[in-house]
Amino acid sequence: MLSLTACAAAAALSLSVVASPALADSGEDSASPRPPARASAIGGARLALPGTQVEPRAGAPKLPKKLTARSWVVADAESGEILAAHNPHWKLAPASTLKMLFADTLLPKFSKDKVHQVTLKDLDGIGEGSSLVGIKEDLPYSVHDLWLGVFLRSGNDAVHVLSSMNGGVARTVQDMRARAHELQADDTHVVTPDGYDAKGQVSSAYDLTLFARDGLKNADFREYCSTAEAQFPGEFAKKKDKEKGEEKATKGQAGPEQKPREHFGIQNTNRLLTGTVDLKPYQGIAGVKNGNTTNAGATYTAYAQRGDRKLLVTVMHPDYDETQAVYREAARLLDWGFAADGKVAPVGELVPPRGVVAERARASKEAAPKHAAGGGGSGGAASATDADSGSGGLGTALAVTGSVLVALAGVVFVVRRRRPLPAGPGTNGGIGTGGTAGPGGTGGPGGTGPGAETTAPDPDATGTGAGPAPRD
């Protein structure tokens, strides 16, 4: 007869053997998915463990009680230290948060002033029910406008046009995979550039945080992800056909014989940035990206600053026992992260890109002979390496001016307009300033595909947040 200890051990072994094969997937085939028993140790051994990882010191605040997300990460945006995490390497469907990797990959390739005449072929292959910004064929759009469509409206039409400019969707997917590899985002497998649900497409809270941190080094990325509302180009104004006496829309760019182009308002679907009827904007928020699909549920990466403290939080697939759950849980984690400043020991780190690691190794190798010979060169090499080790060049590039911070007392927040003003003095290339607006920004036509619906709740929709959500 087996002892109780032996029975318990056998049961535990049986459970791990049965559960393990399905755990590395997105969990969409199970009503109650469980995290993997073994996960990647990139960033630290504790990050490979299931469950919550935190190392409180004296006076540390307790983690929020109401956290239902399958996976989340709280990280210092500058140092890369992970302050707390919950199943950070669990491979889950990413939804439109994958657009952060898309932007990090393609933003450097095209000048924002470049104009592209959209063709019908550019819009091929957009998934049914996709979120759209409202791009039309036979009309020109600047790269700047296309990126506004990607970040504000999570427009899969804008993603497909930019992918077409990059040589097509297949080429873009390969480029994104290569970029993920360079960033050591080994939990990520890209199948679609826009995050639309696809078999085998996964990422993790850890990887999404890597994408956000690397993207934020780029000034254009910071501009787009912090823009709350903008005007997006539509049709050119109609003009009279003198011969037939009819009105018809003009095509191409506005010229001497054409009327000005019409525009419509679009608002960012990041609810901690813009607020909604039952959720105020978050104090200090400055991006980054949200997403929602049937398989992924809601996903969200947020960047916020208070004083000198800059945090990144990623939340994946919370339970829907409250409205706007993904934003509320992200806000709770941000609150905790700001309160825990200096009161917790890191449980891991956001690793630098492979190129940075290789460069450090070369610098260390070159410095070693000088050190052995008693030269002073090793100190300089070590200093250069240390300067790179924290943020990988992020540093003051993430500085947010006080005017971008949210003033909750008056429920007023400062937003980026379509052409944001230069950064204020002393911000060292920070986020910059913009005009003010209330939380009730306008939404333009084409925000979602005709008749596009899913059964998922709607954390991304404009207005009140009610109604079915488009797929990302």
Side-chain angles (χ1 to χ4, degrees):
M1 185 173 182
L2 289 173
S3 67
L4 289 177
T5 302
C7 288
L13 178 60
S14 173
L15 179 62
S16 65
V17 169
V18 171
S20 293
L23 295 178
D25 205 345
S26 64
E28 61 204 48
D29 295 329
S30 171
S32 301
R34 288 168 293 181
R38 296 176 301 277
S40 169
I42 289 178
R46 290 190 65 170
L47 304 185
L49 303 175
T52 302
Q53 305 301 319
V54 63
E55 191 66 37
R57 292 171 174 161
K62 292 184 178 180
L63 283 166
K65 290 183 178 180
K66 196 165 186 180
L67 294 175
T68 66
R70 296 178 184 178
S71 176
W72 52 259
V73 164
V74 182
D76 185 297
E78 286 199 314
S79 70
E81 292 178 343
I82 293 182
L83 310 179
H86 180 75
N87 304 322
H89 283 294
W90 192 354
K91 297 178 182 180
L92 298 166
S96 270
T97 45
L98 193 64
K99 289 182 171 80
M100 294 187 295
L101 174 61
F102 173 77
D104 191 47
T105 304
L106 261 64
L107 263 172
K109 295 193 175 189
F110 308 110
S111 165
K112 63 168 62 177
D113 296 323
K114 180 180 174 64
V115 174
H116 178 75
Q117 187 87 3
V118 172
T119 68
L120 192 58
K121 186 177 180 181
D122 292 339
L123 302 173
D124 280 351
I126 298 175
E128 182 180 357
S130 285
S131 52
L132 306 171
V133 67
I135 292 171
K136 305 294 183 184
E137 67 270 17
D138 300 327
L139 290 176
Y141 296 86
S142 70
V143 167
H144 181 78
D145 290 332
L146 293 172
W147 282 118
L148 287 174
V150 170
F151 276 92
L152 273 67
R153 296 300 305 158
S154 207
N156 288 4
D157 47 357
V159 169
H160 275 252
V161 172
L162 287 162
S163 296
S164 180
M165 294 172 63
N166 188 53
V169 167
R171 166 67 183 275
T172 300
V173 166
Q174 290 300 320
D175 288 349
M176 290 172 67
R177 289 177 180 177
R179 186 62 186 160
H181 177 75
E182 165 61 17
L183 295 176
Q184 299 199 64
D186 292 350
D187 300 328
T188 298
H189 180 66
V190 181
V191 180
T192 67
D194 48 25
Y196 190 87
D197 284 337
K199 184 175 178 59
Q201 179 154 274
V202 291
S203 190
S204 67
Y206 182 90
D207 284 7
L208 294 175
T209 310
L210 281 180
F211 301 151
R213 186 168 181 249
D214 199 69
L216 286 164
K217 298 174 189 176
N218 184 308
D220 290 337
F221 188 105
R222 297 197 301 274
E223 173 193 335
Y224 299 129
C225 78
S226 65
T227 299
E229 59 183 23
Q231 291 293 308
F232 196 80
E235 300 275 356
F236 284 98
K238 293 182 177 181
K239 66 176 183 178
K240 284 281 187 179
D241 187 317
K242 295 180 181 179
E243 295 181 0
K244 297 183 179 180
E246 298 175 350
E247 284 193 349
K248 61 180 182 179
T250 61
K251 295 183 179 181
Q253 298 184 55
E257 298 180 359
Q258 295 174 329
K259 295 185 178 180
R261 192 167 186 177
E262 297 172 347
H263 286 75
F264 56 87
I266 58 174
Q267 187 185 59
N268 202 313
T269 55
N270 176 351
R271 290 306 176 213
L272 289 193
L273 182 67
T274 61
T276 187
V277 65
D278 60 346
L279 184 69
K280 294 178 180 179
Y282 187 82
Q283 181 183 2
I285 195 71
V288 171
K289 189 71 188 74
N290 54 313
N292 183 46
T293 65
T294 301
N295 289 343
T299 59
Y300 180 46
T301 298
Y303 166 67
Q305 177 180 352
R306 291 184 184 174
D308 293 331
R309 183 73 157 170
K310 305 176 185 74
L311 296 178
L312 281 166
V313 164
T314 295
V315 174
M316 298 188 77
H317 210 311
D319 291 335
Y320 287 103
D321 59 348
E322 62 179 337
T323 61
Q324 311 290 349
V326 75
Y327 301 110
R328 297 184 191 280
E329 295 194 17
R332 291 175 193 132
L333 287 169
L334 284 168
D335 285 345
W336 176 86
F338 287 120
D341 188 9
K343 299 175 183 177
V344 294
V347 295
E349 66 169 346
L350 297 173
V351 293
R354 294 180 193 272
V356 173
V357 174
E359 182 58 35
R360 290 177 187 170
R362 283 194 295 270
S364 178
K365 187 176 180 180
E366 291 172 1
K370 296 179 182 179
H371 180 72
S378 60
S383 299
T385 301
D386 291 344
D388 281 341
S389 61
S391 64
L394 190 58
T396 56
L398 284 184
V400 182
T401 62
S403 59
V404 171
L405 302 184
V406 179
L408 284 180
V411 198
V412 176
F413 58 98
V414 180
V415 301
R416 284 186 169 277
R417 295 296 185 178
R418 188 176 187 283
R419 293 291 180 183
L421 298 174
T427 59
N428 295 318
I431 296 271
T433 61
T436 58
T442 58
T448 59
E453 296 188 359
T454 69
T455 57
D458 185 22
D460 291 348
T462 56
T464 63
R471 293 171 183 255
D472 287 312

